[in-house]
Amino acid sequence: MTHPKTFRIKSFGCQMNVYDGERMAELMADKGLAPAADGEDADLVVLNTCHIREKAAEKAYSDVGRLRTRDGGKPMIALAGCVAQAEGAEAQRRSDAIDIVVGPQAYHRLPELVAEAAQGRRQVDTDMPVLSKFDAMPARRKVGPSAFLTVQEGCDKFCTYCVVPYTRGAEVSRPWSDVVGEAEGLVEGGAREITLLGQNVSAWRGIDEKGHEGGLELLIRRLAKIDGLERIRYTTSHPADMDEGLIAAHGEVDKLMPYLHLPVQSGSDRILKAMNRSHTADSYLALIERFRAARPDMAISGDFIVGFPGETEEDFQQTLAIVDATRYASAYSFKYSARPGTPAAEMKGAVEQHVMDDRLQRLQARLSAHSLAFNRSKIGETLSILIDRKGKKPGQMIGKSPWLQSVFCETDASIGDLVEVEITEALPNSLGGRRVRPAAAA
Ligand code: SAH
Ligand code: SF4
Ligand code: F3S
C-alpha cells in the first residue's frame, strides 16, 4: 500500500466525536494530506465511530464492508472513536480490511500509524495517555461561526446501561490555559459562538491565572471576556454536577445562552435507581426550577431511554409526566440497547421490541408537542440569530436562535453575522421570520 495523499473523515455519534474529527482533519492537513473533494475517492478513510447503541456500532462495520469493495479500489481504512476503543485488535479480526485501529485518546498518533500501515504493518493504538493528544495537535485554523471546544473528557458516573466510562475513560479536565488559549484561537479563526464539550462538561475543574480553583462557571466567566466571542454554550451536563455558581452564571453572564441540555433518562425513581442515575424525578425537577428562577427564559433539552430492563407501563407513565412537568424545548429519545460489558446487559426483565416501539412513539409524540409549543411561543418576538448556513431558496439564510432553534429568513446577511429576526412562523423543528433592522441603520 502506498502512503495516502488524500483523506476523508466520517464522524458518527456525539459532538465530541465531531470535535475529534475536526482535530484529526487539521492534523492530517498539517502533515500534508489533502481532504478529498466531494465525490472523489479518498486514499485514507477514517471512520470515527460511536459505540453507544448497537445500531451505531454496526454502522461502522457496514461502512467498512462498503469501502472494501469500493469501485476505485479499497482505501486505507482507519477505525477511530469509541468502537475502536471498545474492540481494539478484535476489530481487525472481525474485518481484515481495517488497517488501523485508533482510540479517542490516541489519535494524535494517526500520522505515524498511517506511515506504518503504508508499509503493510497493521496498527492498533488504544492507549489512554492523560490528555497528551491535545498537546500534540496543531493550532486551530479557520473555523465556522459556531465552534466546538472539548474541555472535559471521560465519565465516572457509570450509568448501568452506558459504554462511555469504558470507551472514554475516567473524567479528566483540560487545563485552564489550554482551554482559554484554544478559545482565543477559535475566535481569531472566525468563531462567534463556542460550545464547550464534555461527556460530563459540568464536572470540569481547573485553576485560573490567579491560582483560584473553580468549576465550569469560572471558565465561562473568563471566556465571556474574549472580544468577538458573542455566545457561549456547554453540553452535556449531569444533574449531579450542577452547582449554585453555574446556575447563577445563567442569570449574570449575557453571553451564556439560556439553554441547558440536562438528560433525565426516565421519570421513574425505581428505573433511575436501576440505571445508577444519582437523581430522582423530584430532585431533577427542583434543579430545573432553580435554573428557571435564575433565568426565566431558560430552555431545557433532554435525553430519554425507553424500555430499560424492568420498565413497566407505570414507569413509562412517569416518564411522560416528567416530560410534561419540564416542558422540554427539544429532546432525544432512544430505545434501550443492551451493551456488552455493562451491568444492565445482565439485568432481567427485558422489554419486548414492540413494547419499546410503542413507548418510543408515544414519548416522541409528547416531546414534539412540547417542542412545537415552545417554538410557537416565540412567534411575534424579535430574536438575535447567528447566521451559520445558506438556505435552499435563493436569498434564504439559516441561523440559530439563543435557544438553538433553526431560523429561516430572507436576508443579504452573511454567514457569521448576528441579525435581528422577527419570528412569523413556527414548525416542530424550525422557525421562520423576517429580518428587522435597528432603527439607527434604517
Ligand atoms: N454523558 C451524557 C450523554 C451520554 S450518551 C449524559 O450523561 O447524558 C447520550 C445518550 O445516549 C444518553 O443520554 C442516553 O440517553 C443514550 N444512551 C446511552 N446508552 C444507551 C443505551 N445502552 N441504550 C440506549 N440509549 C443509550
Ligand atoms: Fe453514560 Fe451516564 Fe456517563 Fe452519561 S453520565 S456518559 S449516560 S455513564
Ligand atoms: Fe458515541 Fe463515544 Fe460519543 S460511544 S456518543 S461517540 S462518547
Side-chain angles (χ1 to χ4, degrees):
M1 200 177 280
T2 51
H3 197 285
K5 293 190 183 61
T6 59
F7 71 93
R8 171 167 298 122
I9 296 177
K10 200 171 159 188
S11 290
F12 306 87
C14 62
Q15 287 142 322
M16 305 199 55
N17 255 15
V18 174
Y19 173 87
D20 288 342
E22 289 169 4
R23 300 305 312 261
M24 283 189 255
E26 288 167 347
L27 182 64
M28 299 318 288
D30 200 55
K31 300 290 175 197
L33 276 77
D38 280 349
E40 184 196 0
D41 277 353
D43 301 335
L44 164 69
V45 176
V46 180
L47 299 172
N48 190 20
T49 59
C50 173
H51 198 57
I52 201 85
R53 284 167 292 274
E54 195 178 352
K55 267 204 190 124
E58 274 170 5
K59 253 190 220 149
Y61 286 100
S62 61
D63 268 31
V64 170
R66 220 168 299 130
L67 288 168
R68 124 179 276 147
T69 55
R70 193 175 71 175
D71 285 345
K74 175 193 155 317
M76 182 185 284
I77 301 177
L79 191 75
C82 290
V83 174
Q85 189 65 42
E87 303 200 343
E90 179 60 29
Q92 289 178 329
R93 282 191 281 276
R94 261 181 89 167
S95 172
D96 61 6
I98 299 170
D99 302 286
I100 296 168
V101 177
V102 59
Q105 307 304 343
Y107 63 71
H108 54 292
R109 294 203 49 236
L110 200 50
E112 297 152 57
L113 299 172
V114 167
E116 286 289 322
Q119 303 294 321
R121 291 187 283 273
R122 299 166 85 207
Q123 300 292 310
V124 178
D125 190 344
T126 51
D127 284 353
M128 289 200 178
V130 174
L131 293 180
S132 68
K133 75 172 177 213
F134 293 112
D135 299 334
M137 287 291 155
R140 306 299 314 255
R141 15 171 154 258
K142 231 186 129 31
V143 290
S146 179
F148 288 144
L149 170 46
T150 292
V151 301
Q152 182 278 338
E153 288 201 280
C155 180
D156 297 340
K157 306 290 191 288
F158 289 94
C159 301
T160 53
Y161 49 81
C162 184
V163 293
V164 172
Y166 313 97
T167 62
R168 294 275 174 164
E171 286 177 7
V172 185
S173 299
R174 285 184 72 190
W176 176 272
S177 57
D178 287 20
V179 173
V180 174
E182 189 168 324
E184 287 168 347
L186 287 169
V187 173
E188 270 165 39
R192 304 197 74 187
E193 169 175 280
I194 291 181
T195 303
L196 305 174
L197 298 181
Q199 267 89 25
N200 282 287
V201 72
S202 39
W204 183 89
R205 294 205 67 78
I207 299 169
D208 74 4
E209 292 100 341
K210 298 186 191 114
H212 298 308
E213 197 194 327
L216 196 62
E217 172 216 355
L218 191 70
L219 181 63
I220 287 169
R221 290 185 191 271
R222 169 66 185 83
L223 297 182
K225 292 189 183 140
I226 300 176
D227 276 341
L229 179 61
E230 306 294 343
R231 291 176 162 191
I232 302 171
R233 303 179 183 277
Y234 60 93
T235 197
T236 292
S237 306
H238 189 289
D241 298 320
M242 310 309 278
D243 63 26
E244 215 42 65
L246 186 59
I247 296 173
H250 274 279
E252 293 162 14
V253 180
D254 288 344
K255 291 182 180 180
L256 182 57
M257 292 293 102
Y259 184 93
L260 175 69
H261 182 62
L262 193 66
V264 67
Q265 314 298 356
S266 166
S268 154
D269 289 347
R270 204 176 64 80
I271 295 296
L272 288 169
K273 193 153 187 273
M275 287 176 162
N276 193 32
R277 298 286 294 183
S278 52
H279 55 89
T280 61
D282 281 349
S283 72
Y284 177 87
L285 288 171
L287 189 55
I288 300 290
E289 281 317 308
R290 283 159 63 204
F291 274 97
R292 286 189 164 142
R295 180 83 205 223
D297 62 350
M298 195 83 182
I300 308 298
S301 121
D303 291 345
F304 294 88
I305 296 176
V306 299
F308 185 81
E311 185 190 71
T312 62
E313 176 61 25
E314 198 188 331
D315 294 315
F316 176 68
Q317 288 298 331
Q318 289 167 1
T319 296
L320 293 179
I322 207 165
V323 167
D324 290 342
T326 306
R327 305 183 311 278
Y328 288 93
S330 72
Y332 301 91
S333 46
F334 312 99
K335 284 189 277 180
Y336 168 72
S337 168
R339 307 305 291 129
T342 60
E346 310 292 321
M347 289 181 191
K348 293 199 183 69
V351 176
E352 285 180 88
Q353 273 302 326
H354 72 94
V355 176
M356 279 206 239
D357 287 333
D358 174 63
R359 286 183 192 161
L360 187 66
Q361 216 176 16
R362 285 188 285 155
L363 175 60
Q364 290 184 339
R366 190 73 63 97
L367 288 167
S368 308
H370 283 287
S371 305
L372 186 58
F374 177 74
N375 287 349
R376 282 193 178 139
S377 74
K378 301 299 175 198
I379 291 178
E381 286 187 25
T382 296
L383 310 182
S384 135
I385 306 301
L386 177 59
I387 303 288
D388 57 17
R389 64 205 145 103
K390 286 198 165 95
K392 286 206 181 93
K393 295 183 195 153
Q396 188 187 52
M397 299 298 279
I398 308 172
K400 289 281 176 358
S401 79
W403 302 280
L404 269 186
Q405 296 147 299
S406 288
V407 181
F408 292 74
C409 65
E410 296 204 352
T411 170
D412 53 7
S414 312
I415 291 175
D417 288 348
L418 266 169
V419 298
E420 299 289 302
V421 174
E422 186 189 330
I423 303 303
T424 53
E425 60 175 327
L427 298 164
N429 296 312
S430 62
L431 300 174
R434 62 175 161 265
R435 179 163 181 198
V436 290
R437 289 175 194 272

